[in-house]
Amino acid sequence: MGAKEGEGKAWIQINAELAPNSMEFSGNLSREISVRQKTKNYVEWTEFDGDLEGWEKREIWISPDLKDIVKEVVSQQGWEHNNSITFFLKGTGNREVYSFDQDRCVAPSLVIEMEC
């Protein structure tokens, strides 16, 4: 994801919705997020230096490996190619990133690499 604004220390926990095909959000977003079942697997993403130099505008940041989270979702009965997956990020600190609608070049993206 591309950095937009933020400073100080940050801690982010990432997990996903435990659903074989995540539904679109509509209506009361905070309620919808709270009632969706989350994966047991998660990763923690922490910046230890906590200084602004580590979070420069338009800099690309790569999260920790999400493979165990993705594996938990796609291993469910009913998972099919092209199904949707929702990731949840929660934590502390102040971080703002670009969305796809704001700047496609630095928007978050999920890259899956397969080993043969």
Side-chain angles (χ1 to χ4, degrees):
M1 75 177 115
K4 193 170 183 182
E5 292 185 26
E7 60 183 82
K9 292 184 179 183
W11 168 85
I12 301 169
Q13 178 179 304
I14 304 171
N15 60 354
E17 180 180 8
L18 187 60
N21 191 15
S22 188
M23 300 299 291
E24 223 177 283
F25 288 97
S26 62
N28 185 337
L29 186 59
S30 61
R31 183 186 181 290
E32 283 191 50
I33 290 172
S34 67
V35 299
R36 294 192 184 200
Q37 187 177 359
K38 313 292 189 294
T39 56
K40 290 180 182 172
N41 286 296
Y42 65 90
V43 297
E44 291 184 356
W45 190 2
T46 307
E47 287 181 80
F48 294 102
D49 61 9
D51 62 20
L52 190 55
E53 290 180 330
W55 190 263
E56 294 182 18
K57 196 168 188 172
R58 297 189 61 79
E59 182 178 13
I60 302 299
W61 282 78
I62 299 173
S63 75
D65 194 336
L66 305 176
K67 71 180 176 196
D68 291 336
I69 299 168
V70 173
K71 185 176 180 180
E72 185 176 349
V73 173
V74 302
S75 296
Q76 296 178 94
Q77 185 174 354
W79 171 261
E80 295 178 10
H81 179 73
N82 287 328
N83 279 7
S84 297
I85 183 170
T86 297
F87 288 94
F88 298 105
L89 286 74
K90 71 176 184 177
T92 61
N94 178 22
R95 292 294 179 270
E96 187 175 340
V97 298
Y98 290 96
S99 70
F100 184 79
D101 294 336
Q102 292 172 325
D103 190 333
R104 294 177 184 187
C105 294
V106 291
S109 62
L110 177 62
V111 177
I112 297 179
E113 296 177 357
M114 303 276 297
E115 293 183 13
C116 298

